[in-house]
C-alpha cells in the first residue's frame, strides 16, 4: 500500500514535469528527454507540435509582444517576435487575425482601452509593413480588463502590457 | 435663542443657503456638530402595518445618518412616543433627549396599496418645519417613499435638494481577477433593490444614465469589439448605436437634453471624440489629434465638454466649447488626470488623479483652480456626482492577486468616506437624477 502510493506520487511528479516541459520554448523538436517508455500507461504522450498549428504559433513563434509603461512603440525584442509571426502567417495564409491590445492596471479604464488600441495598432501596422495582408487583420483593445498576471507589481504588469496576435479560425 | 446650526463641509463658495426656517443647517465652511434627529417608529394606522411602520423609520434614519450631517438619537433613549399622527407633539419629550429635528410619520396598508404621511418638527422652536406630506402607491415602492421623506428633511433643513430618492447603475463584478465576469446592474442609491440588466457573458463597461433616468448608455464587447449600446431601463429594450467597421467606440455620455451622445471612437489606433445625434445617427467629430481623447462629459448647460487627453505627453484635463474651437487645459498639478465629470451644479469638475503610484478622486473648479483631493488609495477611479452635487461615488479596487473592486462614496468635503453595499464586486457607478 505504502509502496504503491509512493509509486503513484512519482508517476504524477514526472507527469507534472512533462507538463511543465510542454510549455517550454523548445517544443516541437520531438526530443523526449524523459524517456517516456513505461509511463505511457500514466496517460503521458509526447509528440512534436504541428508547425502549422495554432499551438505552435502561440508557443514556438510567440503570439505576444510586451510594451514598456504607457508606451505603444515596438521594442527590438517585439520586432523579432513579430518577424517570426510574419513568416508564420505568410506560410499559413488561411488564418484571420485579431490583434488584442492590453494594458496593466495602473491607469484609468477609458485611457487603458485607448492605450491598448494603440498597442494593437502598432502590431498591426508592423505586420502589414512586413507583408501580411491587411484584410486578414483586425484590432481590439481590452484595456486593463483581461490581465493574465494578477499581482500588483511590475513582474505582473510587464506581462499584462501586451499585444496578442490571436488566430481566429482558418478562413479558407 | 439661536437655532441656526452651522454645518461643515468645506465647500468653497457654495453660496450660503438662506431660509426662513429657524432650524437651519448651513452647508458651508467650517465644522460643527451634526444635527441630532429623532425618528420614532411611524404610527401604524391599519392593522398589519406595524412592521412597515418601523421599517420606514429605519430607512429615513439610515438616509440622514449616511450623510454625515445628522446624528441619530436612538429610539432606546426616547422618553416620549408618537402614538397618534394628528395629536400635538410634546416638544419637551424631545428636547430632553436633545433631538433638534423630530420626524413623525404614519402608515396605512390596504391590499397592495400603502399610504405614508410625515411631518418634520423643529423641536427647540416648537413648531413644524414646512407642512406635512402624504404619499400613496404600491407597497413595493415603500422604500422610495421613505427616501422622499428623507429628501424633504434634508432640503428643509439645508435648503438644498437631497439625493436619497435616486438610483445607481453600475458594473457588477464576480470571478477572479484573471477571469472577471461583469454585468450591468441597477439599485437604489443605498444598495437596496438590486436588479441585473444584462447577463455576464459579455464584458460591459461604464454605464451612464440619461438626464431623465430612463435610458442607459454603456459599452459592451458582445460582438467581440467594444461598442456603445442604448438600453431602456423599463423593458430592457436595447440597440447598438450606429458604428463604423473596423473601429471601436466607448466612453459614452448623454448630453443634458438627452438627445446626443458624446463618446470616443478609435480608428487605426487613434482615439478621438465624436458626438452623435441619437435620433438621426448623425455624427460630428469633435477632436482630431494623434493623441488619446477620451472620457468626455458635458457641462450641465450643454455648451462645453470636459475630457482627458494625452496631447501634452501625459493624461490631462481639457475643456472645449461644444461648438468647436481650441481646447483649454485646466489640470496642471503633479501627476496624471483623467475621467473628468462636470458637477450637476456646474461649478466643479470631479476627476481621477494618479500621482506617485497612488490614485485619488478629486475636485477642481471648472478653470482648474482650487484642486482638492478627496481620497487616496491603491486604485480609486471614475467619480460620479450625486444629483445635488454634494456626494461623489467611485470605484475603489484593492491590490494584489485577490484584488476586488467595490463602490465607495465620499462627500465633496472629503468627509464621510464609506463603502456602498453591492452583492458582489462593483465598479463604474453612475448616479441617476433625483426622483428616478
Amino acid at each position: 500500500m505504502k509502496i504503491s502510493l509512493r509509486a503513484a506520487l512519482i508517476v504524477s511528479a514526472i507527469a507534472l514535469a512533462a507538463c511543465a516541459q510542454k510549455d517550454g520554448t523548445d517544443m516541437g523538436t520531438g526530443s523526449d528527454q524523459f524517456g517516456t517508455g513505461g509511463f505511457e500507461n500514466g496517460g503521458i504522450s509526447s509528440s512534436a507540435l504541428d508547425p502549422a498549428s495554432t499551438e505552435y504559433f502561440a508557443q514556438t513563434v510567440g503570439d505576444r509582444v510586451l510594451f514598456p509603461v504607457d508606451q505603444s512603440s515596438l521594442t527590438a525584442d517585439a520586432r523579432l517576435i513579430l518577424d517570426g509571426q510574419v513568416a508564420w502567417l505568410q506560410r499559413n495564409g488561411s488564418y484571420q487575425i485579431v490583434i488584442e491590445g492590453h494594458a496593466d492596471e495602473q491607469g484609468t479604464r477609458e485611457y487603458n482601452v485607448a492605450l491598448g488600441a494603440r498597442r494593437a495598432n502598432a502590431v498591426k501596422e508592423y505586420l502589414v509593413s512586413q507583408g501580411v495582408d491587411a484584410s486578414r487583420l483586425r484590432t481590439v483593445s481590452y484595456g486593463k480588463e483581461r490581465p493574465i498576471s494578477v499581482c500588483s507589481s511590475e513582474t505582473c504588469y510587464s506581462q499584462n502590457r501586451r499585444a496578442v496576435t490571436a488566430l481566429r479560425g482558418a478562413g479558407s | 435663542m439661536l437655532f441656526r446650526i452651522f454645518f461643515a463641509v468645506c465647500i468653497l463658495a457654495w453660496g450660503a443657503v438662506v431660509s426662513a426656517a429657524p432650524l437651519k443647517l448651513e452647508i458651508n465652511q467650517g465644522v460643527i456638530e451634526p444635527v441630532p434627529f429623532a425618528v420614532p417608529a411611524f404610527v401604524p394606522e391599519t392593522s398589519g402595518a406595524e412592521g412597515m411602520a418601523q421599517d420606514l423609520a429605519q430607512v429615513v434614519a439610515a438616509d440622514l445618518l449616511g450623510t454625515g450631517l445628522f446624528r441619530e438619537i436612538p429610539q432606546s433613549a426616547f422618553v416620549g412616543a408618537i402614538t397618534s399622527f394628528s395629536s400635538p407633539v410634546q416638544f419637551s419629550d424631545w428636547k430632553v433627549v436633545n433631538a433638534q429635528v423630530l420626524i413623525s410619520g404614519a402608515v396605512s396598508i390596504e391590499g397592495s396599496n400603502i399610504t405614508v404621511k410625515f411631518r418634520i418638527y423643529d423641536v427647540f422652536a416648537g413648531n413644524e418645519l414646512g407642512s406635512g406630506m402624504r404619499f400613496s402607491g404600491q407597497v413595493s415602492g415603500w422604500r422610495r417613499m421613505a427616501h422622499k421623506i428623507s429628501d424633504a428633511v434634508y432640503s428643509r433643513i439645508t435648503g438644498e435638494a437631497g439625493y436619497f430618492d435616486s438610483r445607481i447603475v453600475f458594473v457588477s463584478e464576480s470571478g477572479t481577477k484573471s477571469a472577471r465576469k461583469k454585468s450591468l446592474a441597477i439599485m437604489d442609491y443605498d444598495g437596496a433593490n438590486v436588479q441585473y440588466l444584462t447577463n455576464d457573458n459579455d464584458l460591459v463597461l461604464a454605464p451612464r444614465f440619461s438626464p431623465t433616468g430612463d435610458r442607459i448608455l454603456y459599452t459592451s464587447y458582445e460582438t467581440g469589439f467594444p461598442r456603445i449600446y442604448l438600453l431602456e431601463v423599463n423593458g430592457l429594450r436595447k440597440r447598438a448605436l450606429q458604428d463604423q467597421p473596423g473601429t471601436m467606440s466607448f466612453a459614452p455620455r448623454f448630453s443634458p437634453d438627452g438627445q446626443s451622445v458624446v463618446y470616443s471612437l478609435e480608428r487605426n489606433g487613434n482615439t478621438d471624440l465624436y458626438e452623435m445625434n441619437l435620433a438621426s445617427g448623425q455624427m460630428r467629430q469633435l477632436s482630431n489629434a494623434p493623441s488619446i481623447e477620451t472620457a468626455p462629459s458635458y457641462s450641465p448647460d450643454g455648451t462645453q465638454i470636459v475630457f482627458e487627453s494625452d496631447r501634452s505627453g501625459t493624461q490631462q484635463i481639457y475643456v472645449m466649447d461644444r461648438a468647436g474651437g481650441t481646447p483649454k487645459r485646466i489640470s496642471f498639478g503633479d501627476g496624471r488626470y483623467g475621467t473628468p465629470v462636470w458637477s450637476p451644479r456646474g461649478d466643479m469638475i470631479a476627476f481621477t488623479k494618479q500621482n506617485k503610484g497612488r490614485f485619488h478622486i478629486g475636485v477642481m473648479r471648472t478653470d482648474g483652480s482650487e484642486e482638492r483631493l478627496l481620497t487616496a488609495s491603491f486604485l480609486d477611479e471614475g467619480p460620479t456626482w450625486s444629483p445635488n452635487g454634494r456626494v461623489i461615488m467611485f470605484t475603489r479596487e484593492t491590490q494584489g492577486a485577490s484584488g476586488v473592486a467595490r463602490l465607495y462614496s465620499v462627500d465633496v468635503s472629503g468627509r464621510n468616506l464609506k463603502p456602498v453595499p453591492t452583492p458582489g464586486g462593483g465598479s463604474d457607478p453612475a448616479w441617476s437624477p433625483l426622483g428616478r
Side-chain angles (χ1 to χ4, degrees):
Chain A
M1 187 65 186
K2 231 175 190 174
I3 290 168
S4 63
L5 179 61
R6 186 178 296 166
L9 285 173
I10 291 168
V11 169
S12 57
I14 293 172
L16 281 173
C19 289
Q21 177 64 17
K22 204 171 183 178
D23 292 331
T25 51
D26 62 348
M27 278 309 289
T29 61
S31 72
D32 184 351
Q33 57 193 290
F34 286 91
T36 55
F39 287 104
E40 302 297 341
N41 292 341
I44 300 168
S45 63
S46 174
S47 63
L49 279 176
D50 175 358
S53 67
T54 54
E55 291 79 8
Y56 184 92
F57 179 78
Q59 293 168 22
T60 307
V61 176
D63 65 352
R64 65 200 55 200
V65 296
L66 305 180
F67 294 85
V69 176
D70 202 19
Q71 296 295 309
S72 57
S73 52
L74 299 171
T75 63
D77 285 351
R79 284 166 197 268
L80 269 180
I81 290 168
L82 294 178
D83 287 339
Q85 290 188 4
V86 169
W88 191 93
L89 292 168
Q90 300 286 42
R91 281 198 306 276
N92 299 279
S94 61
Y95 287 101
Q96 293 293 307
I97 301 134
V98 177
I99 300 159
E100 303 169 347
H102 298 267
D104 66 33
E105 68 189 3
Q106 310 170 93
T108 48
R109 201 177 311 286
E110 299 89 337
Y111 182 83
N112 278 339
V113 171
L115 178 59
R118 272 183 179 164
R119 288 173 175 160
N121 190 66
V123 168
K124 178 185 170 182
E125 284 186 352
Y126 188 81
L127 296 180
V128 170
S129 75
Q130 300 302 304
V132 178
D133 183 353
S135 69
R136 295 172 64 192
L137 297 165
R138 256 209 89 164
T139 57
V140 65
S141 174
Y142 287 98
K144 61 177 174 178
E145 306 301 319
R146 292 283 180 262
I148 49 166
S149 298
V150 293
C151 69
S152 292
S153 60
E154 179 55 21
T155 44
C156 290
Y157 294 161
S158 64
Q159 300 302 305
N160 292 334
R161 293 189 300 264
R162 68 199 192 276
V164 180
T165 303
L167 304 173
R168 294 285 166 93
S172 59
Chain B
M1 232 183 125
L2 275 180
F3 299 113
R4 180 170 299 184
I5 294 159
F6 292 97
F7 197 84
V9 199
C10 149
I11 296 313
L12 303 174
W14 266 346
V17 178
V18 181
S19 149
L23 176 63
K24 171 84 171 45
L25 187 150
E26 277 195 26
I27 305 179
N28 216 322
Q29 273 183 282
V31 183
I32 311 273
E33 279 292 290
V35 177
F37 68 91
V39 191
F42 285 18
V43 178
E45 294 188 332
T46 53
S47 67
E50 294 80 6
M52 184 63 77
Q54 186 61 260
D55 291 347
L56 285 160
Q58 279 174 3
V59 170
V60 172
D63 282 343
L64 297 177
L65 206 53
T67 62
L69 305 178
F70 297 88
R71 180 165 63 83
E72 184 182 12
I73 305 297
Q75 292 186 359
S76 59
F78 293 175
V79 297
I82 304 281
T83 50
S84 159
F85 183 67
S86 47
S87 301
V89 167
Q90 295 300 319
F91 289 108
S92 56
D93 287 350
W94 304 100
K95 267 184 201 166
V96 75
V97 295
N98 279 319
Q100 282 185 278
V101 183
L102 170 69
I103 298 133
S104 78
V107 54
S108 56
I109 299 176
E110 277 160 35
S112 63
N113 291 309
I114 184 170
T115 297
V116 177
K117 299 179 285 191
F118 72 94
R119 294 183 198 278
I120 305 167
Y121 299 94
D122 177 343
V123 172
F124 285 77
N127 59 24
E128 199 174 340
L129 269 181
S131 44
M133 285 177 74
R134 179 173 178 270
F135 303 116
S136 292
Q138 295 285 302
V139 173
S140 58
W142 73 272
R143 290 187 72 95
R144 274 197 76 173
M145 294 180 186
H147 292 317
K148 284 179 182 296
I149 294 169
S150 306
D151 281 323
V153 175
Y154 184 99
S155 68
R156 287 179 197 181
I157 292 174
T158 67
E160 299 186 6
Y163 56 88
F164 309 112
D165 182 21
S166 63
R167 296 202 282 178
I168 307 294
V169 62
F170 66 104
V171 172
S172 176
E173 301 195 6
S174 63
T176 60
K177 194 168 173 180
S178 60
R180 198 74 91 207
K181 294 287 216 175
K182 297 194 173 191
S183 57
L184 286 191
I186 192 170
M187 64 186 188
D188 296 351
Y189 98 98
D190 59 358
N193 292 324
V194 176
Q195 281 178 272
Y196 294 90
L197 305 178
T198 69
N199 62 34
D200 63 5
N201 294 340
D202 303 302
L203 179 59
V204 288
L205 304 175
R208 308 293 181 205
F209 272 112
S210 67
T212 45
D214 54 350
R215 293 175 299 163
I216 290 165
L217 284 166
Y218 67 103
T219 303
S220 170
Y221 281 67
E222 74 176 64
T223 63
F225 300 89
R227 195 171 175 187
I228 298 168
Y229 293 80
L230 179 66
L231 179 73
E232 286 173 31
V233 177
N234 295 321
L236 302 184
R237 217 150 40 100
K238 73 164 188 203
R239 70 175 172 96
L241 298 198
Q242 193 173 304
D243 74 348
Q244 300 182 325
T247 67
M248 295 189 275
S249 43
F250 55 100
R253 220 181 263 276
F254 280 98
S255 62
D257 65 6
Q259 296 184 6
S260 300
V261 180
V262 65
Y263 63 103
S264 275
L265 186 148
E266 178 272 352
R267 182 184 276 117
N268 298 326
N270 183 37
T271 299
D272 271 311
L273 299 179
Y274 286 74
E275 185 178 62
M276 182 186 288
N277 181 288
L278 279 169
S280 69
Q282 195 168 11
M283 285 170 61
R284 192 165 70 91
Q285 186 165 0
L286 299 177
S287 72
N288 189 356
S291 43
I292 288 172
E293 275 72 39
T294 191
S297 168
Y298 290 96
S299 61
D301 67 3
T303 63
Q304 289 175 291
I305 293 169
V306 64
F307 64 99
E308 62 172 74
S309 168
D310 70 348
R311 60 186 62 191
S312 72
T314 61
Q315 262 175 294
Q316 298 294 339
I317 296 175
Y318 295 78
V319 173
M320 69 178 179
D321 286 341
R322 185 176 178 182
T326 310
K328 182 168 169 276
R329 178 170 164 180
I330 62 164
S331 62
F332 290 98
D334 292 338
R336 304 161 59 142
Y337 294 78
T339 76
V341 193
W342 220 297
S343 83
R345 292 162 180 260
D347 59 345
M348 289 202 165
I349 288 167
F351 56 84
T352 305
K353 175 169 174 159
Q354 290 168 256
N355 192 26
K356 301 188 175 94
R358 301 278 284 173
F359 280 71
H360 308 269
I361 301 298
V363 292
M364 56 172 64
R365 299 211 151 271
T366 60
D367 62 1
S369 64
E370 296 178 25
E371 173 180 327
R372 286 186 296 113
L373 299 183
L374 309 180
T375 74
S377 90
F378 167 71
L379 209 177
D380 286 348
E381 69 170 311
T384 181
W385 292 91
S386 65
N388 69 352
R390 285 295 185 195
V391 182
I392 288 172
M393 202 176 286
F394 60 97
T395 308
R396 169 167 288 183
E397 193 156 347
T398 52
Q399 66 181 311
S402 56
V404 174
R406 303 239 179 243
L407 306 187
Y408 276 75
S409 69
V410 66
D411 273 26
V412 282
S413 63
R415 289 189 190 81
N416 205 26
L417 173 72
K418 57 183 181 177
V420 178
T422 50
S427 61
D428 291 0
W431 215 313
S432 79
L434 189 63
R436 302 286 171 176

